[in-house]
């Protein structure tokens, strides 16, 4: 059987790294086309050589010479810059793994989706801000979107496509992040180091902070709305600190189907890489006899208001989702740079959500990018004014 070609956009990140580990583990099944990074030349070079990639792309154009000299003598095409990244995103592949972080991944996701094939998508922000664009691109090209985010991959695995109308609701689980048991007073004092120390998952810094505020779960509610065509009230969230059950699908006949697995991103990534077949994993496997305790509790919306904010954005339409996503990206980065406190992330987002976006016809890429840019500028100015 011929090998399946895989492109990995954002291969040097946390999801990217896990994908690379699987591609190496199954090197007899997969060949690697494109690998991309933004600035981590060293890791990109290591991965490209190890996986015998066809093409290595660095987003930061100024790093072209460094990439070139590091790959001298290798039969690997190299390129640099945003344009090159977008061109490479449309290169032929059976599966493209979309693992860039943030809204910056939107255009690469769209390029890959317009080309077609399987789109294994971890990068949730493009779905939050421009879900219908991505879906209509898939419809046109025939691309199949496979969710990699663990909860959405879990829903995908247990969703009976033919029985969609019989779904009462789905439930996404949330670990609760590092501050689940902290008091609101202590959470207000949380530092970036404490926020990125996630109890169950090792992830990039942005999503780690989002997990600590629970904005991640809020974005995931919107992501589930986009992927599974369900309204807000049919997407529930429950705290489950062990992160063993990733989602539940509750059907009208009282049956509840769920997906369990070790909290390791290689499991959903491999599912998306091998779908509709299944391959052996190199991740730890869950021993059902080890499940002595599985806890569930309601989300405390006072301690974690981000979830409520995301639900408001979902109900108020695409414009507000773009605003929330952009404001959150800027606020998280300001928090990581110690410009604002932990709870300020949510205050900054709430403030931006007040914007009147009704004049934006958020149906085209240009308008979506314009609203995203404008929100970023406004958020930066607001932070400067308020926090100096
Ligand atoms: P990381 O920050 O670890 O990695 C991001 C990747 O994208 C890196 O390869 C980085 O390159 C590249 N990148 C960053 N900025 C840009 C840019 N402006 N243009 C092009 N490439 C860029 O992120 P994660 O792997 O944690 O997350 C990736 C996505 O997957 C996010 O959307 C996240 O929400 C989602 N996700 C992540 C999970 C996880 O376990 N980490 C779980 C579920 C979803 P470089 O290394 O050079 O900076
Ligand atoms: Mg998730």
């Amino acid at each position: 059987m011929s090998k399946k070609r895989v492109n990995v956009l954002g291969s040097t990140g946390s999801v990217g790294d896990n994908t690379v580990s699987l591609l190496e583990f199954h090197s007899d099944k997969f060949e690697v086309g494109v690998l991309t990074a933004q600035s981590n030349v060293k890791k990109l070079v290591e991965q490209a050589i190890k996986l015998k990639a066809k093409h290595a792309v660095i987003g930061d154009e100024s790093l072209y010479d460094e990439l070139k000299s590091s790959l001298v003598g290798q039969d690997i095409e190299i390129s640099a810059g945003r344009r090159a990244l977008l061109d490479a995103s449309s290169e032929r592949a059976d599966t493209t793994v979309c693992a860039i972080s943030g809204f910056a991944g939107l255009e690469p996701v769209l390029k890959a989706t317009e080309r077609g094939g399987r789109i294994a998508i971890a990068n949730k922000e493009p779905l939050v801000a421009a879900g219908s664009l991505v879906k209509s691109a898939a419809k046109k090209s025939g691309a199949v979107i496979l969710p990699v985010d663990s909860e959405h991959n879990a829903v995908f695995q247990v969703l009976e496509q033919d029985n969609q109308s019989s779904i009462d609701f789905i439930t996404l689980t949330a670990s609760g992040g590092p501050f689940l048991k902290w008091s609101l007073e202590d959470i207000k004092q949380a530092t970036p180091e404490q926020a990125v120390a996630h109890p169950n998952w090792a992830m990039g810094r942005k999503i780690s902070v989002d997990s600590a505020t629970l904005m991640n779960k809020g974005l995931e509610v919107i992501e589930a709305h986009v992927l599974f065509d369900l309204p807000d009230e049919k997407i529930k969230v429950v705290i489950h600190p062990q992160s063993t059950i990733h989602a539940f699908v509750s059907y009208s006949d009282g049956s509840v189907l769920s997906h369990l697995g070790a909290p390791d991103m290689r499991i959903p990534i491999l599912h998306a890489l091998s779908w509709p077949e299944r391959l052996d994993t190199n991740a730890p496997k869950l021993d059902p006899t080890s499940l002595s305790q599985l806890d569930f509790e309601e989300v405390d919306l006072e301690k974690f208001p981000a979830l409520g904010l995301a639900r408001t954005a979902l109900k108020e339409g695409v414009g507000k989702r773009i605003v929330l996503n952009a404001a959150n990206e800027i606020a998280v980065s300001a928090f990581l740079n110690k410009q604002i406190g932990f709870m300020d992330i949510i205050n900054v987002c709430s403030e931006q959500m007040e914007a009147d976006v009704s004049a934006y016809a958020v149906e085209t890429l240009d308008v979506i990018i314009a609203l995203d840019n404008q929100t970023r500028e406004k958020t930066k100015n607001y932070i400067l004014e308020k926090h100096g």
Side-chain angles (χ1 to χ4, degrees), residues 84-364:
L85 169 69
L86 297 183
D87 289 345
S89 304
S90 357
E91 278 181 30
R92 177 181 81 77
D94 296 293
T95 303
T96 300
V97 179
C98 299
I100 290 175
S101 68
F103 184 86
L106 171 59
E107 286 177 280
V109 164
L110 279 174
K111 290 284 178 202
T113 311
E114 282 161 6
R115 188 218 52 233
R118 288 175 186 169
I119 309 299
I121 185 160
N123 189 190
K124 65 193 80 179
E125 295 87 349
L127 294 175
V128 169
S132 12
L133 270 193
V134 178
K135 286 206 298 189
S136 64
K139 206 167 171 195
K140 252 196 215 152
S141 68
V144 178
I145 294 180
L146 298 165
V148 168
D149 206 349
S150 55
E151 301 77 1
H152 306 73
N153 178 269
V155 171
F156 181 85
Q157 291 203 42
V158 295
L159 197 74
E160 294 171 358
Q161 294 292 348
D162 301 340
N163 265 329
Q164 192 113 11
S165 61
S166 306
I167 296 174
D168 263 358
F169 57 89
I170 64 170
T171 307
L172 309 177
T173 61
S175 69
F179 306 142
L180 179 62
K181 299 288 175 206
W182 288 31
S183 70
L184 185 53
E185 282 317 300
D186 288 344
I187 294 178
K188 284 182 185 159
Q189 309 302 323
T191 64
E193 294 72 26
Q194 290 166 325
V196 299
H198 197 277
N200 303 345
W201 305 89
M203 309 181 287
R205 284 162 72 76
K206 193 261 174 182
I207 187 178
S208 295
V209 176
D210 284 349
S211 298
T213 56
L214 255 73
M215 183 64 85
N216 182 51
K217 213 46 58 178
L219 298 177
E220 287 184 358
V221 168
I222 303 176
E223 183 185 11
H225 160 77
V226 169
L227 288 169
F228 306 117
D229 281 325
L230 293 169
D232 171 59
E233 63 276 10
K234 289 197 171 197
I235 308 167
K236 303 193 185 222
V237 170
V238 68
I239 300 283
H240 167 45
Q242 291 86 6
S243 300
T244 301
I245 295 184
H246 303 295
F248 300 95
V249 178
S250 301
Y251 289 93
S252 57
D253 65 356
S255 299
V256 182
L257 304 193
S258 75
H259 170 276
L260 289 75
D264 190 307
M265 283 305 291
R266 285 172 292 183
I267 296 171
I269 297 168
L270 182 59
H271 174 266
L273 283 174
S274 55
W275 183 86
E277 289 158 31
R278 289 189 189 265
L279 290 174
D280 291 344
T281 185
N282 58 354
K285 288 188 183 162
L286 190 70
D287 172 4
T289 61
S290 72
L291 302 178
S292 56
Q293 195 177 342
L294 294 177
D295 300 311
F296 300 92
E297 61 185 85
E298 291 277 349
V299 178
D300 180 342
L301 288 172
E302 210 180 306
K303 268 174 27 177
F304 302 107
L307 183 57
L309 207 54
R311 286 197 186 277
T312 304
L314 169 50
K315 283 182 271 203
E316 290 186 355
V318 178
K320 289 292 168 87
R321 297 178 212 163
I322 297 167
V323 167
L324 178 64
N325 182 65
N328 182 55
E329 286 193 30
I330 297 298
V332 168
S333 137
F335 167 69
L336 287 169
N337 292 328
K338 305 199 170 168
Q339 285 170 270
I340 62 173
F342 183 75
M343 289 306 274
D344 293 327
I345 298 174
I346 307 307
N347 300 336
V348 167
C349 291
S350 300
E351 178 67 30
Q352 298 308 311
M353 284 269 289
E354 296 296 318
D356 177 7
V357 294
S358 52
Y360 284 87
V362 281
E363 281 146 24
T364 62

